[in-house]
Amino acid sequence: VSGSLQLHGKQFHRTWTRLAKTAHAGDSVLMLQHPVNWEAGQDIILVTTAMKDSREWHQNEVLTIDALEENIPIGVGAVVYLTSPMAHTHLATYAYQAEVGLLSRMIKIQGSSTDSEPTDPDPLTCTYNTDPAYDGSNRRIYGNSDRPCPNTKLTGYGGHIRVHGSTSIGQIEGVELYRLGQTNVLGKYPMHFHMIGDCPSCYFRHSSVHRSFYRCVSIHGTHETHVTENVAYDVTGYCYYLEDGVEERNTISYNLGAHIHLLGPEAPWGNGQTTQLNYQSVDLTLPADVTAAAFYITNMHNNIIGNAASGGWAGFAFPTLHQPLGPNKNVNMRPSSRTSLIIDGNTAHSTGWWWKHAGAFYIGGALYYDADGTTLVYNAGRDQTKGNRSPCKVDHCAAGNCNAYCQPYDQYWSRISNSKAFLVPGPGLNSWSGRAEIVGYESHDNGLSAEALESGFWIDNMLSHCRTGEKIALPSGGRANDMKGDGFFWYDTNQEHIITNSVFHNCGYRDDKYNQYDTLPDRGCGIDTDIDSGCSSGSTVFGFLTHSDQFNPELMQGTKNITFKDCGRRFKLYDFRSSPPNSTVSGRNQNWLDTDGTASGLNGPALIGSGLDDTGLWWKVDDEVIYDPHGPLNFIKQSNGPERGLGHIKVRWDDAIHGEVGVTVCGNGDSKPCPTLGYIKHAGEKFALDSGLPVTANADIAGPVGGYGWVLQLDQGAPVSMKLELIEVRWDTPLLLHVQYPPGTGFTIEAHAAWCSTNQYYSCIETFQQVGSVAEVRSSLGNTYYVNPTTGILTVRVIQTPQSFIGNPDWLLPDNNSVGKWGNGYAIDRFERGGVYLPTMSYGPYLQIDANCAAGSGGNQAFCADSIQSATVDVCSAGYEQVAYDKCCSKSNPLLCEFADGAKTDTQRP
């Protein structure tokens, strides 16, 4: 099949623009930002600036042009007079403005008015709380219970245009497509580029699609085509559509998509991070259409530039496809691993209504074939098996193994730049998976500016304007104060997030309890009784998830150059458990690298740690630590010591106990107990009487390093065997671990690499050597240990080793520049952006400590049989007393001090 379709109508420029001035209900004139050559009698779409945009309730308006003003005021591109007044107010503020698009064209292709319209219309009367078939009959969304009637409007039967064949060309511009598309019928879309292959000459531009019964423009098995400067309105299913996931190097630019309608039984939602599954059926050909959005990007290896989205379950959907679909299902590629091209300058608003995690920019949802190989399944929420996205510079599919691990040195970060989200009740941007760089992002009047779950996510130059002061337009019963007004939430485990050069404006709850940083009367997002502007008593600039004993933070978050402008509550440790009886492992381990002190307000490098009461002195490392009641948090001046930093280890001593984590003990926000089995505290007499940080069966430990060391004390005694894993610590911030044993105990201590075979170039196991002092251990490369002959205290230096080798071939203390195995990448994984460095733990390597003591009996078999007399690790020289976890000062001359690294006076500190 081959041929050429040429349709060229008069070009109207611009096809869409934005308001230059707010258009109020009752007005019959529009001020536009750009000049237009539109004509009297043409129809336009004035897009909503309400929070909700759905079939049963919206504020979009189709209006008709009466005339254009010839004498245009300064600062305005065009003045358009209308034949009738507007029913709703449409905003144009300094933060965002409503779009205005031209629907009419000189060439019009339309479906029949007699038999194209659906025979099963939506009566627009359905609500959650009046539907007896709905199992959550009391459900309300932000106070409103209205919803589209399920499985209606499935019979739309309009015309369709398809360009098909490897030698075919389609060039369409200046055309109006009206009442086209056939609902749920594959291939029957208003405009369809079908299996053409490379077609750089193909385009669909300067056109409009409205009242579409199925999509707008489908690019299917076609590459390098252009879809640009089009207007789409009132569309069922995904609109601008990359169909099978193989489509690449296309340019979708400067298009408007508004008032997008979902298909199927119900918009996906859930109380946590997951939603119900949807399966392909007669009534739902593509199950992902339950989350229809204006832009459906199944493969990021395309140019997505300057587009605007309004309405739909999300605005821009980036679902995860581990294999292509349809006739391309056997193509040897993984769409979710492809690198991104240009994704820049896009905006989305009035979307994300149906689920609290549905972002305007939504990098989530997994689309895949069921076990039968033919039925499509869509999981709209977080899917940790089929929803993992791993962009990679290497095409492992071409090498024969699509499931191959993308090595750190081959990993790629997708970039989304200069984009904006506004008027979204949930997150403006949500990414469940996929390394990404979000640069130049703006968020205005959203419930949460952004959230992300990924080991390697950078946000730079973000404006998080939580509340602009505009009244939020909502449907009946809608409550803006249910929509938070949060800035960013740090997640609870296995993440690396960096935020740099970002501004938070009018975020966080306004309350006198949180006026330590700002007392302005209009600070924050507001108060929880203000139902118009949107703020709740739980709103915060930065939030931490602290509900879990099972999933806990390592060294995950860092910031630089953070600005707070008129903010209320700045920090919150968020534990969603109702009336929690005690704090959690994740709450106590919360930490944050504030590289320049702009987040903490110290205006110098700072370490931020949990301020929960039961952390003892773990985060109160000296008398200059500042307590923040917002979090609560503790702010540590990093420059008060020469080697201060953060470190993390996970300790195992009894597999029987640790194997119960998440099963009978230490659960994920549930009622499982997580009893304290011991404590860890800082070395020295200043901390001797402190109980320290509780240690549980899930012995994740994060805390300040670079001092005299950590002292581990388990209630049952000294462990016979101990394994340290998931280590994160910089080479220049030493971490010493002290554990007391019965005097005379001998040790075998070995560091093990993962996936390693010893050869002439690399070693896999290192046996530690005993030395004569703690100082020797501290100054060593990390392959020595010391045992105090009197107290029996064992001291080791814990370092972060490379994942797959221990030495090259000699033992290595890798620094920031140490080269990885076989010259690939770095020896130590890290995430580093914008002047912030976060070491990344490796799975597999571990440090094994075996004591040659006699084991106990019964329930004490994991511990040495002999008891020990508790002793303190001596850290100060004679005549000195400890004043910090890394500092001792002379009793007679407090200005004469020594540090853990041996520096003797304050003047010697770097």
Side-chain angles (χ1 to χ4, degrees):
V1 178
S2 66
S4 175
L5 176 62
Q6 304 283 331
L7 293 171
H8 303 279
K10 178 179 178 179
Q11 181 173 341
F12 292 96
H13 185 78
R14 297 178 177 226
T15 57
W16 64 277
T17 180
R18 293 183 171 92
L19 289 178
K21 182 180 178 181
T22 293
H24 295 278
D27 289 350
S28 56
V29 61
L30 300 178
M31 304 284 189
L32 307 183
Q33 292 184 11
H34 300 99
V36 296
N37 64 340
W38 302 347
E39 298 176 353
Q42 289 184 312
D43 288 338
I44 59 173
I45 173 60
L46 177 56
V47 179
T48 182
T49 51
M51 186 73 83
K52 182 180 182 181
D53 182 8
S54 183
R55 182 178 283 132
E56 80 286 355
W57 190 92
H58 68 93
Q59 292 188 354
N60 301 286
E61 300 188 61
V62 176
L63 303 163
T64 302
I65 298 173
D66 183 54
L68 272 72
E69 175 65 61
E70 294 183 359
N71 299 315
I72 301 172
I74 296 174
V76 175
V79 178
V80 176
Y81 294 96
L82 307 172
T83 60
S84 60
M86 288 166 283
H88 308 288
T89 293
H90 300 258
L91 297 174
T93 73
Y94 63 93
Y96 51 81
Q97 308 86 34
E99 300 89 356
V100 187
L102 182 67
L103 297 176
S104 301
R105 299 294 188 277
M106 301 299 289
I107 298 175
K108 184 174 184 178
I109 301 173
Q110 62 182 341
S112 168
S113 61
T114 58
D115 59 9
S116 290
E117 291 286 343
T119 57
D120 58 339
D122 186 339
L124 307 179
T125 57
C126 292
T127 63
Y128 285 107
N129 59 354
T130 59
D131 184 352
Y134 181 64
D135 60 5
S137 58
N138 293 320
R139 186 184 182 213
R140 291 179 179 269
I141 304 175
Y142 307 110
N144 176 254
S145 64
D146 300 331
R147 63 166 177 156
C149 291
N151 292 320
T152 57
K153 301 201 76 167
L154 301 179
T155 56
Y157 194 81
H160 64 98
I161 300 171
R162 179 165 66 178
V163 179
H164 180 198
S166 61
T167 61
S168 296
I169 294 177
Q171 297 180 333
I172 298 94
E173 61 185 340
V175 174
E176 178 183 355
L177 306 182
Y178 179 64
R179 280 201 301 253
L180 300 190
Q182 297 175 11
T183 311
N184 270 325
V185 181
L186 283 176
K188 302 303 175 67
Y189 318 127
M191 185 65 228
H192 186 191
F193 294 102
H194 181 71
M195 305 296 287
I196 302 174
D198 291 350
C199 192
S201 299
C202 289
Y203 57 77
F204 181 78
R205 64 193 188 194
H206 309 142
S207 298
S208 70
V209 182
H210 58 120
R211 194 156 185 77
S212 168
F213 305 129
Y214 204 36
R215 317 216 184 290
C216 303
V217 184
S218 173
I219 301 175
H220 187 195
T222 301
H223 321 291
E224 299 183 5
T225 191
H226 291 74
V227 175
T228 185
E229 296 187 64
N230 300 293
V231 173
Y233 170 72
D234 191 12
V235 177
T236 296
Y238 285 107
C239 182
Y240 300 98
Y241 181 70
L242 296 172
E243 189 155 345
D244 285 352
V246 299
E247 299 80 18
E248 296 192 336
R249 306 181 308 281
N250 298 286
T251 297
I252 301 174
S253 60
Y254 306 106
N255 301 285
L256 170 63
H259 201 37
I260 310 301
H261 310 303
L262 322 180
L263 275 170
E266 180 183 12
W269 67 283
N271 290 321
Q273 297 176 350
T274 59
T275 66
Q276 67 270 34
L277 298 181
N278 284 273
Y279 292 82
Q280 187 176 22
S281 67
V282 174
D283 293 334
L284 192 61
T285 303
L286 179 77
D289 273 321
V290 296
T291 59
F295 296 87
Y296 178 74
I297 313 302
T298 55
N299 186 325
M300 285 192 174
H301 202 69
N302 290 278
N303 298 302
I304 314 298
I305 303 170
N307 302 284
S310 176
W313 194 85
F316 291 80
F318 299 87
T320 298
L321 274 65
H322 281 185
Q323 73 172 95
L325 309 177
N328 292 294
K329 66 184 295 186
N330 294 320
V331 174
N332 185 33
M333 69 173 298
R334 176 162 288 182
S336 59
S337 295
R338 300 293 289 151
T339 59
S340 63
L341 295 184
I342 300 173
I343 305 177
D344 180 79
N346 301 290
T347 65
H349 65 94
S350 307
T351 185
W353 179 266
W354 303 106
W355 187 38
K356 64 181 180 181
H357 291 298
F361 295 87
Y362 186 69
I363 307 172
L367 183 61
Y368 54 91
Y369 285 104
D370 206 359
D372 62 9
T374 59
T375 303
L376 284 171
V377 184
Y378 182 62
N379 182 347
R382 185 186 182 196
D383 189 324
Q384 298 186 66
T385 56
K386 297 180 175 64
N388 292 324
R389 179 187 297 271
S390 181
C392 194
K393 300 173 187 176
V394 175
D395 186 349
H396 289 292
C397 294
N401 183 8
C402 285
N403 292 317
Y405 174 65
C406 184
Q407 297 292 337
Y409 46 83
D410 290 326
Q411 292 174 354
Y412 180 87
W413 272 258
S414 302
R415 174 172 283 219
I416 297 176
S417 56
N418 302 314
S419 296
K420 180 188 294 189
F422 56 96
L423 293 170
V424 182
L429 183 147
N430 180 12
S431 176
W432 289 127
S433 179
R435 294 176 293 275
E437 299 174 341
I438 310 300
V439 179
Y441 166 66
E442 291 186 30
S443 171
H444 303 274
D445 286 334
N446 298 324
L448 173 64
S449 293
E451 63 179 344
L453 277 79
E454 182 54 50
S455 180
F457 203 89
W458 180 37
I459 299 177
D460 182 55
N461 194 27
M462 172 174 67
L463 172 58
S464 172
H465 197 172
C466 294
R467 288 295 175 262
T468 66
E470 292 294 331
K471 180 178 179 179
I472 296 174
L474 292 167
S476 174
R479 297 190 299 265
N481 55 349
D482 284 354
M483 300 172 188
K484 292 292 183 77
D486 294 332
F488 187 84
F489 259 75
W490 305 114
Y491 269 79
D492 50 5
T493 193
N494 197 20
Q495 311 285 304
E496 277 82 35
H497 293 151
I498 293 174
I499 302 178
T500 55
N501 306 312
S502 294
V503 176
F504 294 87
H505 189 186
N506 282 114
C507 302
Y509 184 56
R510 182 193 314 144
D511 190 279
D512 286 343
K513 291 188 298 183
Y514 308 117
N515 65 358
Q516 290 80 7
Y517 303 102
D518 196 327
T519 58
L520 290 174
D522 59 350
R523 68 187 183 279
C525 55
I527 56 177
D528 57 357
T529 57
D530 184 351
I531 64 172
D532 292 329
S533 65
C535 195
S536 80
S537 59
S539 299
T540 180
V541 181
F542 284 101
F544 305 74
L545 291 187
T546 61
H547 60 277
S548 185
D549 291 308
Q550 183 178 3
F551 301 111
N552 306 305
E554 303 87 27
L555 309 188
M556 303 195 317
Q557 45 234 20
T559 55
K560 185 177 182 179
N561 193 21
I562 300 300
T563 300
F564 300 97
K565 185 177 180 181
D566 302 334
C567 287
R569 185 174 187 176
R570 292 192 179 185
F571 312 104
K572 181 183 181 181
L573 300 184
Y574 177 62
D575 186 342
F576 61 68
R577 300 174 303 165
S578 59
S579 302
N582 48 265
S583 70
T584 59
V585 178
S586 62
R588 297 187 291 265
N589 276 283
Q590 287 298 329
N591 65 89
W592 175 350
L593 183 62
D594 180 17
T595 58
D596 60 353
T598 53
S600 60
L602 298 185
N603 296 317
L607 310 176
I608 298 177
S610 173
L612 294 174
D613 291 339
D614 53 357
T615 60
L617 298 179
W618 184 245
W619 296 103
K620 298 181 178 70
V621 297
D622 63 28
D623 294 339
E624 294 187 45
V625 171
I626 295 175
Y627 176 75
D628 163 70
H630 290 211
L633 298 169
N634 284 303
F635 300 152
I636 302 168
K637 295 179 180 179
Q638 192 173 5
S639 60
N640 274 10
E643 295 180 323
R644 290 186 170 189
L646 294 169
H648 170 268
I649 58 175
K650 191 179 186 74
V651 185
R652 300 180 66 90
W653 63 88
D654 186 346
D655 286 342
I657 293 175
H658 305 308
E660 291 301 308
V661 170
V663 181
T664 62
V665 298
C666 301
N668 185 28
D670 51 29
S671 59
K672 294 183 181 69
C674 194
T676 297
L677 305 180
Y679 291 89
I680 195 163
K681 57 187 176 182
H682 296 292
E685 61 271 16
K686 179 178 175 65
F687 303 91
L689 299 179
D690 176 43
S691 59
L693 185 77
V695 175
T696 70
N698 196 20
D700 270 308
I701 300 165
V705 296
Y708 293 110
W710 297 352
V711 179
L712 176 64
Q713 297 174 330
L714 298 176
D715 293 344
Q716 290 181 266
V720 173
S721 181
M722 185 165 53
K723 178 187 286 188
L724 308 183
E725 57 188 5
L726 304 184
I727 298 166
E728 291 179 332
V729 62
R730 285 177 60 110
W731 71 96
D732 55 356
T733 58
L735 167 56
L736 300 185
L737 180 65
H738 311 280
V739 185
Q740 189 172 12
Y741 281 85
T745 302
F747 298 91
T748 299
I749 303 177
E750 292 181 338
H752 292 254
W755 305 293
C756 180
S757 297
T758 297
N759 55 47
Q760 61 181 318
Y761 303 106
Y762 295 101
S763 56
C764 304
I765 301 174
E766 175 79 4
T767 301
F768 284 27
Q769 301 300 310
Q770 186 169 358
V771 294
S773 69
V774 170
E776 288 181 77
V777 174
R778 182 189 177 90
S779 62
S780 75
L781 297 180
N783 58 346
T784 64
Y785 68 96
Y786 168 70
V787 182
N788 186 300
T790 303
T791 63
I793 295 176
L794 166 71
T795 299
V796 297
R797 179 178 179 183
V798 181
I799 74 164
Q800 185 169 352
T801 61
Q803 182 177 42
S804 60
F805 67 99
I806 289 296
N808 53 357
D810 295 331
W811 172 262
L812 175 70
L813 171 58
D815 62 22
N816 191 38
N817 298 312
S818 297
V819 178
K821 200 168 187 177
W822 308 120
N824 294 313
Y826 293 105
I828 296 298
D829 291 344
R830 82 286 303 275
F831 183 51
E832 187 175 15
R833 293 291 190 280
V836 182
Y837 176 102
L838 297 175
T840 303
M841 65 184 184
S842 295
Y843 290 96
Y846 62 95
L847 178 64
Q848 183 72 38
I849 302 174
D850 293 321
N852 68 356
C853 63
S857 59
N860 291 318
Q861 291 182 3
F863 300 89
C864 297
D866 293 341
S867 61
I868 53 178
Q869 297 296 319
S870 179
T872 300
V873 178
D874 293 327
V875 300
C876 296
S877 300
Y880 283 69
E881 61 182 354
Q882 189 177 11
V883 297
Y885 85 119
D886 59 349
K887 182 180 179 181
C888 296
C889 292
S890 170
K891 296 177 182 179
S892 60
N893 181 6
L895 297 180
L896 182 61
C897 300
E898 60 185 13
F899 292 90
D901 69 337
K904 288 298 185 181
T905 66
D906 284 356
T907 58
Q908 295 183 32
R909 283 165 31 192

